[in-house]
Amino acid sequence: MSTDSIADEITQGTQVRQVEYVLCDGTVFFRVEHTIFEVPRSRFTEHSEVFTDMFHMPQAEDGQDIEGRSTGRPIVLEGYRAADFAALIKVLYPTIDDMIEGAWKLTKEDWVGVLNLSKRWGMKKIRNLAIAKLSDTTLSPMEKVVLAREYEVAKWLREGLNEIVSEHPIRPPAELKSQLGADTACTLMWIQNQALPAQLGAGFILSLGLLGCTSCQRAMFSNDRNCASCTRTISVNDRHALYFAPGASITGIVRTQHTLVRGPAPTDFVINLLDLMCRGCSNCAFTSGNYICPSCALSTGYQHFRLITSNNTIDIGISSQKILEEFGDEIARYESWDQ
Ligand SMILES: [Zn+2]
Ligand SMILES: [Zn+2]
């Protein structure tokens, strides 16, 4: 085949495709803690201006060893962990084995290390990847807040704070304080208090119509009933006919089956009917036993009633709004990473 005919073929639509490859611009030696890493430079400069600048530093005079060119004179990265650096190398330079297995063999701790380095060196793409990988693991609300603050992740701060205030009962103040600091703990407890349904606040007002089925959460009583002790009529919407026995408590449980609900899991409040007293006789207004739901026909045991609140949950609208008021500046600061 003559040179001419090849040239013709190219002009006739043959495409020249360049395969993305690791540029052969040489390797560089880094020392992190007591380990020396020899790595290709290319992806460091591609992903981080810190390294572009570092590699463009004026070279040493003739006859001197150039920093980073040999094991004898590596570039020393002070204040970093070798394990974190090794994890970052795995992400920057995946091996054929990584490809075959379809995933990197990185632990949760490795990804935190990658997040740390990518944040400090401004590697946005890698940072986003680490956040996505860690979001796929199980992060507790506390972990989210702690990691969010250390690595400036707006999404985790918002999620973590919302999850903490939606928990019921609230975590012990000592735990909140030791992990999140006194200021945050205090603000979160205040927000949680604001967001409690009005009935659970001071005075606790409850009516017959707010007692819900454990299965479908709808109202169990649609008609007036008589007090089990004095037979006095208790109307469905009378908010003064019943009161909560002193010393009794309401258990909050987080609803788990609602996987489609985004954001914090809703909390249900469980009521034991034997804790509900009649204002007329000061005795219990109900009897033990099972009650059949008029909506779903399933039975609810007397100790498993659900409190029907405005949306049957702690008011998540109020708490997330308060979180934005109290922590909005901090969240916005971290969001600058996403721009
Ligand atoms: Zn029901
Ligand atoms: Zn009574």
Side-chain angles (χ1 to χ4, degrees):
M1 198 184 276
S2 74
T3 331
D4 278 355
S5 66
I6 291 172
D8 281 352
E9 210 172 281
I10 289 171
T11 50
Q12 279 164 18
T14 307
Q15 287 182 338
V16 178
R17 291 184 61 177
Q18 217 169 23
V19 177
E20 202 190 325
Y21 58 99
V22 176
L23 283 170
C24 301
D25 60 351
T27 59
V28 60
F29 293 84
F30 290 113
R31 186 164 71 77
V32 191
E33 291 182 312
H34 299 297
T35 311
I36 290 175
F37 294 86
E38 182 186 2
V39 288
R41 292 163 168 241
S42 58
R43 296 213 170 132
F44 280 90
T45 49
E46 189 185 321
H47 289 280
S48 167
E49 283 176 13
V50 174
F51 289 95
T52 318
D53 294 347
M54 190 188 288
F55 297 151
H56 280 118
M57 295 263 263
Q59 300 296 352
E61 296 295 316
D62 284 349
Q64 280 203 300
D65 252 2
I66 296 171
E67 209 181 21
R69 290 286 170 86
S70 67
T71 48
R73 197 149 187 272
I75 296 174
V76 180
L77 298 173
E78 208 71 70
Y80 300 94
R81 290 177 60 230
D84 294 354
F85 196 76
L88 178 69
I89 301 291
K90 279 191 202 174
V91 175
L92 286 177
Y93 299 102
T95 63
I96 295 296
D97 282 344
D98 294 329
M99 306 286 184
I100 292 168
E101 280 154 32
W104 291 280
K105 275 192 202 134
L106 260 65
T107 62
K108 186 170 164 183
E109 204 195 342
D110 287 339
W111 281 115
V112 173
V114 172
L115 178 60
N116 175 29
L117 298 186
S118 58
K119 183 223 158 200
R120 292 173 73 174
W121 292 331
M123 299 171 153
K124 271 195 174 185
K125 255 192 199 175
I126 309 289
R127 180 179 172 275
N128 287 342
L129 176 69
I131 292 169
K133 291 287 178 186
L134 285 166
S135 297
D136 285 346
T137 66
T138 317
L139 294 177
S140 72
M142 293 295 219
E143 269 183 307
K144 280 185 190 172
V145 176
V146 171
L147 290 173
R149 287 190 158 155
E150 201 161 347
Y151 305 114
E152 303 182 349
V153 184
K155 170 179 124 102
W156 288 344
L157 185 60
R158 213 181 308 111
E159 284 177 10
L161 293 173
N162 273 298
E163 285 167 22
I164 291 169
V165 296
S166 310
E167 290 174 332
H168 197 92
I170 195 169
R171 282 167 196 261
E175 189 190 340
L176 289 174
K177 257 161 82 176
S178 71
Q179 297 203 38
L180 309 177
D183 281 358
T184 301
C186 194
T187 309
L188 289 179
M189 287 187 287
W190 177 79
I191 290 174
Q192 205 185 37
N193 190 271
Q194 300 289 302
L196 284 175
Q199 300 98 312
L200 294 178
F204 188 78
I205 296 164
L206 178 90
S207 66
L208 201 55
L210 293 177
L211 295 170
C213 160
T214 193
S215 305
C216 72
Q217 332 277 329
R218 274 182 234 133
M220 185 63 92
F221 305 112
S222 45
N223 297 312
D224 299 350
R225 283 178 67 85
N226 295 322
C227 166
S229 302
C230 71
T231 73
R232 178 178 190 255
T233 303
I234 299 170
S235 33
V236 181
N237 297 314
D238 187 346
R239 292 184 154 234
H240 303 285
L242 298 168
Y243 68 95
F244 205 52
S249 67
I250 293 184
T251 321
I253 53 163
V254 172
R255 214 185 296 161
T256 50
Q257 68 268 40
H258 283 230
T259 47
L260 289 176
V261 175
R262 288 226 159 241
T267 304
D268 285 339
F269 294 93
V270 182
I271 290 177
N272 183 339
L273 291 190
L274 299 188
D275 289 335
L276 295 178
M277 302 291 148
C278 162
R279 284 246 184 249
C281 66
S282 301
N283 289 314
C284 180
F286 296 89
T287 51
S288 57
N290 293 332
Y291 292 76
I292 302 300
C293 170
S295 300
C296 71
L298 294 171
S299 82
T300 291
Y302 67 96
Q303 71 277 56
H304 296 128
F305 274 72
R306 293 289 189 271
L307 175 68
I308 300 174
T309 63
S310 50
N311 56 0
N312 211 19
T313 63
I314 282 184
D315 197 331
I316 285 162
I318 290 182
S319 56
S320 57
Q321 186 198 326
K322 296 261 178 232
I323 280 171
L324 276 182
E325 282 168 22
E326 296 297 322
F327 298 97
D329 290 349
E330 191 182 356
I331 292 171
R333 218 162 49 238
Y334 301 162
E335 268 169 352
S336 63
W337 273 96
D338 306 325
Q339 279 142 29

